[in-house]
């Protein structure tokens, strides 16, 4: 009785770090947790020589994300320049 040791007396076992060894509900023991390997398909997309930069290879969503980022960057730069201009004006008393 009294105080318990903070250090465990037995090893945690092989599955303590990675969670549980039981499959997710609805999966059989032979099913994999990761699903299919999508790397070969993505390699085909990204290694295609079509003249596009890699950050625009996946089509419309990439273009929209790129354009939104550029718009926010240009808008933020314009806002900062206007704020600096206003802050640099002499105060009228």
């Amino acid at each position: 009785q009294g105080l318990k040791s903070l250090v465990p007396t037995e090893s945690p076992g092989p599955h303590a770090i990675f969670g549980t060894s039981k499959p997710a509900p609805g999966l059989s023991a032979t099913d994999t947790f990761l699903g299919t390997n999508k790397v070969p398909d993505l390699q085909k997309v990204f290694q295609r020589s079509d003249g596009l930069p890699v950050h625009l290879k996946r089509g419309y969503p990439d273009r929209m994300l790129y354009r939104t980022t550029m718009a926010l960057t240009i808008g933020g730069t314009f806002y900062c320049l206007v704020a600096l201009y206003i802050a640099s004006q002499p105060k009228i008393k």
Side-chain angles (χ1 to χ4, degrees):
Q1 306 207 3
L3 298 176
K4 294 182 180 179
S5 173
L6 293 177
V7 180
T9 56
E10 55 187 53
S11 69
H15 302 291
I17 295 173
F18 300 108
T20 180
S21 62
K22 296 178 184 176
L27 292 177
S28 67
T30 58
D31 287 340
T32 62
F33 290 103
L34 300 177
T36 60
N37 186 5
K38 297 179 184 177
V39 172
D41 298 329
L42 291 174
Q43 283 177 339
K44 289 176 188 174
V45 170
F46 287 113
Q47 291 177 355
R48 189 174 35 201
S49 62
D50 53 5
L52 288 174
V54 71
H55 59 274
L56 297 176
K57 290 266 187 183
R58 291 184 71 182
Y60 184 74
D62 284 348
R63 285 195 308 264
M64 289 307 296
L65 181 62
Y66 178 76
R67 289 176 183 166
T68 303
T69 303
M70 285 296 111
L72 289 171
T73 301
I74 292 169
T77 302
F78 181 72
Y79 176 79
C80 287
L81 291 174
V82 169
L84 285 173
Y85 175 75
I86 292 172
S88 67
Q89 297 302 310
K91 307 271 186 210
I92 299 175
K93 291 184 181 183

